[in-house]
Amino acid sequence: MSKQATFKQLILFSILFGLMVLSSCATAILTPHTFVRVMNLVVIVALSMAVGAFIREMFLIKAKKQSSGNDQQG
């Protein structure tokens, strides 16, 4: 069993993390409490890094598939 994430899993998690980022942004904008805003900004940065990591993995999987396809043809 492969422990590498599939392309579909990465897309699903990117969408879910994107929704979490949007909800955290809305909370940070609409809340009147400074502490909650600061904590939500920290969460937004962490979730944005996670989304970026998933997107990077998608590009790596795509490049790996293309290189393995070229190796088989060439």
Side-chain angles (χ1 to χ4, degrees), residues 6 8 15 17 19 32-33 45 47 49-50 53 62-64:
T6 64
K8 289 180 183 178
I15 291 170
F17 275 132
L19 292 173
H33 306 291
V45 170
L47 288 175
M49 289 178 7
K62 186 177 179 180
K64 187 176 179 180

Side-chain angles (χ1 to χ4, degrees), residues 4-70:
Q4 289 185 342
T6 64
F7 197 70
K8 289 180 183 178
Q9 288 174 332
L10 291 173
I11 290 173
L12 176 70
F13 284 122
S14 296
I15 291 170
L16 291 175
F17 275 132
L19 292 173
M20 290 173 66
V21 167
L22 290 176
S23 69
S24 292
C25 289
T27 304
I29 291 170
L30 298 175
T31 187
H33 306 291
T34 305
F35 177 75
V36 175
R37 283 187 183 183
V38 171
M39 292 306 296
N40 275 322
L41 289 175
V42 170
V43 169
I44 290 168
V45 170
L47 288 175
S48 297
M49 289 178 7
V51 170
F54 279 119
I55 292 172
R56 179 181 174 270
E57 288 296 320
M58 285 191 293
F59 284 119
L60 289 175
I61 288 174
K62 186 177 179 180
K64 187 176 179 180
K65 283 183 181 180
Q66 286 178 351
S67 68
S68 66
N70 290 337

